[in-house]
Amino acid sequence: MRRNLVQSRPRRERLLKPEDVADVFDVCKRTVIGWATSGRLPFVLTPGGQYRFRAYDVDALVDIPDDEVA
C-alpha cells in the first residue's frame, strides 16, 4: 500500500521574528519581547533561545478593535 507523503507530513507554521512583529505594530523589538514575557503575546523559543511568533497569533492581535486593547 502506498501512502501520500505530502498529507502525512505536518504543516509548517509561519514564524515571525521580533523585528517582523515590531514592524506590524510600529514599535521596537524590545517592546514585542516585553509583550511576550508579560503574557500578552504567545511565543515560541527556538533551541537557541530566540523568540519567534506565530503569524496567526499576530494576525489575531491586529484584528482586535482599539477599545478592547488593555
Side-chain angles (χ1 to χ4, degrees):
M1 175 184 259
R2 192 171 171 177
R3 292 187 328 173
N4 185 342
L5 295 178
V6 174
Q7 290 179 348
S8 64
R9 274 191 278 167
R11 184 174 173 207
R12 296 182 91 190
E13 57 190 336
R14 191 167 142 235
L15 296 176
L16 303 173
K17 294 180 180 181
E19 297 86 2
D20 301 327
V21 179
D23 287 343
V24 170
F25 293 103
D26 197 26
V27 295
C28 71
K29 77 176 190 174
R30 294 299 313 162
T31 299
V32 173
I33 293 171
W35 291 343
T37 58
S38 70
R40 294 179 70 189
L41 181 61
F43 65 94
V44 175
L45 279 179
T46 67
Q50 298 177 346
Y51 289 86
R52 294 295 181 262
F53 304 90
R54 293 178 185 93
Y56 62 84
D57 289 332
V58 174
D59 290 341
L61 282 178
V62 169
D63 292 337
I64 295 175
D66 289 338
D67 59 343
E68 291 185 26
V69 176

